[in-house]
Amino acid sequence: MREVDEECRKLVRLLGEGGWLRYAIGGVAYGASAETIDARAVCLIRETLARHSGLADFAFAMQGLGSGAISNFGTQKQKQHYLPSVAQGSAVAAFAISEPEAGSDVAALQCAATKDGDSYLLNGEKTWISNGGIADFYIVFARTGEEPGGKGISAFIVDSDTAGLEIAERITVMAPHPLARLVFKNCRVPAAQRLGDSGQGFKIAMSTLDIFRSSVAAAALGFARRALLEALSRSTSRKMFGQVLADFQLTQAKLAKMATDIDSAALLTYRAAWLKDLGQPVTVEAAMAKMTATEIAQQAIDSAVQIFGALGVVSDHVVESLYREIRPLRIYEGATEVQQLIIARGLIKAHATKVKG
Ligand SMILES: Cc1cc2nc3c(=O)[nH]c(=O)nc-3n(C[C@H](O)[C@H](O)[C@H](O)COP(=O)(O)OP(=O)(O)OC[C@H]3O[C@@H](n4cnc5c(N)ncnc54)[C@H](O)[C@@H]3O)c2cc1C
């Protein structure tokens, strides 16, 4: 675990030094490449990084997801304090919304923020928090209770050394990266650390996820393209039955399907990112991209493992790592089933509007 932590911190630093993280934040005055986060640039970066290293992609993505709410909803003071160090790679960011009893149904979250003078007292739990344990600050979503459900949630920037915030458990997963469960016990957070208005937290969370959802699709494309490259290389060199594996039409059908699926998912991914950059609503398009790219990447990587035979299941072989790397992407930032519901709801709503009009 310590090795992964160190590697992740090092990657964040290197990505900062190399100028990559300028694309993870918004606001030129704070070190960003542009005033608003460029969704297409984020996708291109994630696709490229994922092709080479799942952990590098993760390190980049979390700097963006963990600070996106500050880029988009922070005060000038909050931006000045946090964004330059995120872009330089000297501060590690995290996004904490999930709880043991609130994952897909995130509006059911229970972690409470109670107003107490000029501050809030946070009490509750967050789990599955990427960068948990190594982050310098967390964007925490907690219930302030203005209204039930999604309308009674606010967002806070919580520094990792705040008294009352404890890393209760480090979680190991199939594609290792820093992950933890956090516990808040009378954790006092100044009201000045609240992002946006009280009760606006759910909107802040969803609009941050809206920017980065298509980039999860881009990461899946990176993994899938690497799998295709490896499959081509192995199948054109592996001799069997007097020829090479790629000479068999059954193998060619696999390669053709992998390449076509990947390119169709790429079109959906970059359409969503392009619409986002144009300032158009992308909820449905980003959901289509995330669902399709992560699902086809899983299939493409599985085909690559099959082409490699026994070698494909050797621990830490490149296709075996890809097989593990891709799996969580079909679950986090909205599982495939959640994306299906988002797409269908969008279609039904658009249809109803057309019928009425
Ligand atoms: C590697 C990893 C990193 C993560 N990082 C973060 C992070 O940084 N910050 C954070 O806040 N959270 C993070 N998460 C949590 C993630 O967002 C949740 O895992 C996700 O929202 C699903 O919630 P859950 O795990 O509680 O599953 P549940 O909500 O229990 O869902 C279980 C399954 O039910 C199915 N399902 C869900 N809804 C429906 C439906 N309506 N109809 C039919 N089936 C459905 C899906 O198949 C889903 O996988 C991370 C998770 C993973 C795996």
Side-chain angles (χ1 to χ4, degrees), residues 194-263:
R194 196 187 67 218
L195 278 161
D197 293 333
S198 183
Q200 213 190 357
F202 192 69
K203 189 181 137 199
I204 292 175
M206 292 307 123
S207 77
T208 310
L209 289 170
D210 241 14
I211 303 175
F212 290 97
R213 191 165 279 144
S214 48
S215 82
V216 179
L221 289 177
F223 293 139
R225 288 202 197 281
R226 178 63 183 267
L228 175 58
L229 182 69
E230 298 294 331
L232 277 166
S233 154
R234 177 71 182 166
S235 62
T236 51
S237 58
R238 173 66 169 161
K239 291 195 183 82
M240 61 172 75
F241 306 109
Q243 49 186 8
V244 291
L245 184 54
D247 289 331
F248 291 97
Q249 289 187 344
L250 285 172
T251 310
Q252 290 171 13
K254 274 200 189 77
L255 295 171
K257 181 162 167 43
M258 289 164 83
T260 310
D261 284 351
I262 294 169
D263 276 3

Side-chain angles (χ1 to χ4, degrees), residues 20-348:
W20 299 68
L21 295 176
R22 294 172 57 232
Y23 295 89
I25 64 159
V28 175
Y30 313 107
S33 65
E35 287 307 332
T36 52
I37 297 170
D38 180 331
R40 280 170 295 179
V42 168
C43 284
L44 284 168
I45 289 174
R46 289 200 65 182
E47 185 176 340
T48 307
L49 290 174
R51 205 172 160 137
H52 298 281
S53 156
L55 198 59
D57 165 60
F58 166 83
F60 173 83
M62 284 316 303
Q63 289 297 92
L65 185 64
S67 68
I70 304 178
S71 291
N72 287 344
F73 295 90
T75 60
Q76 206 183 348
K77 206 168 167 193
Q78 289 168 340
K79 289 180 182 181
Q80 193 57 59
H81 186 75
Y82 290 98
L83 294 182
S85 44
V86 170
Q88 286 153 19
S90 54
V92 175
F95 178 90
I97 192 163
S98 304
E99 297 181 4
E101 300 304 324
S104 304
D105 182 11
V106 79
L109 68 83
Q110 287 304 322
C111 180
T114 319
K115 194 88 196 283
D116 185 41
D118 275 350
S119 48
Y120 286 85
L121 286 177
L122 265 59
N123 281 290
E125 250 182 70
K126 293 287 165 190
T127 193
W128 314 120
I129 307 309
S130 296
N131 278 343
I134 68 161
D136 292 287
F137 66 89
Y138 299 84
I139 305 297
V140 179
F141 297 87
R143 187 160 294 287
T144 33
E146 294 76 6
E147 285 189 50
K151 289 184 179 156
I153 294 168
S154 300
F156 301 89
I157 314 169
V158 182
D159 293 330
S160 58
D161 58 1
T162 311
L165 162 57
E166 182 196 324
I167 306 299
E169 183 190 357
R170 293 296 306 268
I171 306 164
T172 2
V173 279
M174 60 201 288
H177 70 252
L179 198 70
R181 180 167 63 86
L182 318 179
V183 168
F184 299 87
K185 280 188 198 147
N186 284 330
C187 175
R188 188 173 289 279
V189 178
Q193 293 290 88
R194 196 187 67 218
L195 278 161
D197 293 333
S198 183
Q200 213 190 357
F202 192 69
K203 189 181 137 199
I204 292 175
M206 292 307 123
S207 77
T208 310
L209 289 170
D210 241 14
I211 303 175
F212 290 97
R213 191 165 279 144
S214 48
S215 82
V216 179
L221 289 177
F223 293 139
R225 288 202 197 281
R226 178 63 183 267
L228 175 58
L229 182 69
E230 298 294 331
L232 277 166
S233 154
R234 177 71 182 166
S235 62
T236 51
S237 58
R238 173 66 169 161
K239 291 195 183 82
M240 61 172 75
F241 306 109
Q243 49 186 8
V244 291
L245 184 54
D247 289 331
F248 291 97
Q249 289 187 344
L250 285 172
T251 310
Q252 290 171 13
K254 274 200 189 77
L255 295 171
K257 181 162 167 43
M258 289 164 83
T260 310
D261 284 351
I262 294 169
D263 276 3
S264 13
L267 290 171
L268 287 176
T269 303
Y270 287 95
R271 176 183 71 164
W274 172 63
L275 288 174
K276 182 79 204 159
D277 288 338
L278 289 180
Q280 295 193 15
V282 290
T283 306
V284 168
E285 289 78 4
M288 285 178 172
K290 200 250 173 193
M291 174 181 80
T292 308
T294 56
E295 293 292 333
I296 69 92
Q298 182 84 66
Q299 290 164 23
I301 293 166
D302 188 62
S303 295
V305 169
Q306 195 70 10
I307 283 171
F308 269 82
L311 256 186
V313 293
V314 171
S315 297
D316 293 330
H317 186 282
V318 62
V319 292
E320 185 271 348
S321 305
L322 290 167
Y323 193 80
R324 286 182 287 106
E325 288 285 356
I326 188 62
R327 192 61 186 87
L329 275 66
R330 293 167 56 206
I331 297 171
Y332 66 60
E333 291 190 40
T336 291
E337 292 79 357
V338 172
Q339 308 305 334
Q340 286 173 318
L341 294 178
I342 293 173
I343 297 163
R345 272 190 212 128
L347 291 176
I348 293 164

Side-chain angles (χ1 to χ4, degrees), residues 6-34:
E6 276 169 19
E7 184 61 18
C8 198
R9 271 205 204 91
K10 183 175 140 201
L11 283 165
V12 170
R13 206 178 53 245
L14 290 174
L15 288 166
E17 283 168 15
W20 299 68
L21 295 176
R22 294 172 57 232
Y23 295 89
I25 64 159
V28 175
Y30 313 107
S33 65

